[in-house]
């Protein structure tokens, strides 16, 4: 059994805690034992999971693996701490705010002999798999991907183009490398409104 700790108790973290406390029969999760979860907010216990401090998670010999489900900006620092402590790490996509930092973290994991795995869970959903089947063998002429959400704290989530990068990877996974041809942003702080519009071109134009 691999002792596991979940870092972050937002939507993704709570889903991790739920799946680790009630693993599907014969799934890999059955080999993981949830030692606890770490959060800046005070929860006490969530279901059967107990809240522990970050320091205890890093020091514990029972913890072999950390699942990082925090805001984008804190991923890099948290990964470094757990790798330094000799733990394997699974982190929600994106791993870091820059490619340079991501490569440094992978090199660090390799030096430490630890697994560093980035999971883009949206690419594993049934809806996405169906979308991929539907476009297989077809040529893209023109298309639009529109998504909405609440205003994110840029200090935590990164610039809007970055906080939305998980959705943009849909397009790269579906259609290959893309080139940005134009991008605009409208921001109306008095209305708590922001919109970014980006045009991409595939390799075959």
């Amino acid at each position: 059994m691999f002792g596991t700790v979940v870092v972050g108790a937002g939507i993704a973290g709570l889903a991790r805690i739920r799946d680790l406390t009630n693993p599907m029969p014969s799934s890999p999760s059955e080999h993981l034992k949830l030692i606890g979860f770490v959060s800046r907010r005070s929860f006490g216990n969530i279901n059967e999971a107990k809240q522990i401090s970050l320091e205890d998670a890093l020091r514990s010999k029972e913890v072999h693996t950390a699942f990082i489900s925090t805001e984008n900006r804190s991923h890099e620092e948290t990964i470094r701490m757990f790798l330094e402590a000799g733990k394997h790490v699974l982190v929600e996509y994106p791993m870091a705010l820059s490619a340079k930092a991501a490569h440094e973290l992978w090199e660090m994991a390799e030096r430490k002999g630890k697994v560093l795995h980035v999971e883009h869970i949206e690419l594993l959903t049934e809806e996405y798999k169906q979308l991929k089947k539907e476009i297989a063998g077809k040529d893209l002429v023109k298309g639009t991907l529109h998504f909405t959400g609440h205003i994110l704290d840029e200090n935590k989530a990164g610039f809007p183009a970055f906080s939305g990068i998980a959705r943009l990877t849909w397009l790269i996974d579906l259609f290959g490398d893309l080139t940005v041809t134009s991008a605009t942003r409208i921001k109306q702080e008095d209305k708590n409104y922001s919109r970014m519009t980006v045009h991409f071109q595939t390799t075959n134009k």
Side-chain angles (χ1 to χ4, degrees), residues 167-183:
R167 297 292 170 81
L168 300 182
T169 53
W170 288 16
L171 298 177
I172 292 168
D173 188 57
L174 293 169
F175 305 113
D177 287 343
L178 302 170
T179 303
V180 177
T181 57
S182 68

Side-chain angles (χ1 to χ4, degrees), residues 8-9 12 14 37 52 63 75 86 190 192 197:
L14 290 173
F37 70 94
I52 62 175
V63 174
H75 286 182
D190 57 323
N192 201 27
T197 305

Side-chain angles (χ1 to χ4, degrees), residues 116-148:
L116 172 55
H117 174 71
V118 188
E119 186 161 284
H120 190 342
I121 205 157
E122 287 184 3
L123 301 185
L124 304 176
T125 62
E126 290 308 314
E127 293 87 348
Y128 185 79
K129 288 176 186 174
Q130 184 59 37
L131 176 62
K132 199 158 184 176
K133 275 184 196 169
E134 286 175 16
I135 66 122
K138 296 177 182 173
D139 289 326
L140 175 68
V141 178
K142 190 176 183 180
T144 303
L145 173 66
H146 178 82
F147 58 95
T148 60

Side-chain angles (χ1 to χ4, degrees), residues 6-165:
V6 174
V7 183
I11 293 170
L14 290 173
R16 296 282 183 196
I17 292 167
R18 178 201 65 210
D19 293 345
L20 287 164
T21 51
N22 297 289
M24 287 177 64
S26 303
S27 72
S29 296
E30 284 194 315
H31 301 288
L32 300 171
K33 178 185 178 186
L34 183 62
I35 305 299
F37 70 94
V38 175
S39 177
R40 289 186 303 259
R41 294 173 290 168
S42 182
F43 287 98
N45 287 4
I46 296 176
N47 299 333
E48 302 153 35
K50 65 178 181 178
Q51 186 164 1
I52 62 175
S53 70
L54 177 62
E55 293 72 24
D56 285 348
L58 291 166
R59 277 198 305 260
S60 174
K61 288 188 167 60
E62 279 188 284
V63 174
H64 307 106
T65 307
F67 284 17
I68 299 173
S69 303
T70 56
E71 63 274 358
N72 296 344
R73 193 171 291 277
S74 68
H75 286 182
E76 180 183 346
E77 182 186 2
T78 312
I79 292 167
R80 285 185 193 281
M81 286 192 287
F82 277 97
L83 287 177
E84 284 288 359
K87 319 291 187 190
H88 302 289
V89 176
L90 179 145
V91 62
E92 306 285 349
Y93 182 91
M95 180 164 65
L97 296 188
S98 73
K100 181 177 182 286
H103 286 292
E104 286 174 3
L105 292 169
W106 265 312
E107 287 165 10
M108 182 180 181
E110 201 168 325
R111 284 196 310 273
K112 296 276 184 184
K114 298 298 170 186
V115 173
L116 172 55
H117 174 71
V118 188
E119 186 161 284
H120 190 342
I121 205 157
E122 287 184 3
L123 301 185
L124 304 176
T125 62
E126 290 308 314
E127 293 87 348
Y128 185 79
K129 288 176 186 174
Q130 184 59 37
L131 176 62
K132 199 158 184 176
K133 275 184 196 169
E134 286 175 16
I135 66 122
K138 296 177 182 173
D139 289 326
L140 175 68
V141 178
K142 190 176 183 180
T144 303
L145 173 66
H146 178 82
F147 58 95
T148 60
H150 61 278
I151 297 285
L152 295 172
D153 182 342
E154 291 187 27
N155 289 323
K156 293 179 179 176
F159 185 67
F162 197 87
S163 59
I165 201 167

Side-chain angles (χ1 to χ4, degrees), residues 193-204:
Y193 175 81
S194 176
R195 184 180 77 218
M196 177 165 280
T197 305
V198 187
H199 292 94
F200 298 98
Q201 199 169 63
T202 60
T203 51
N204 63 359

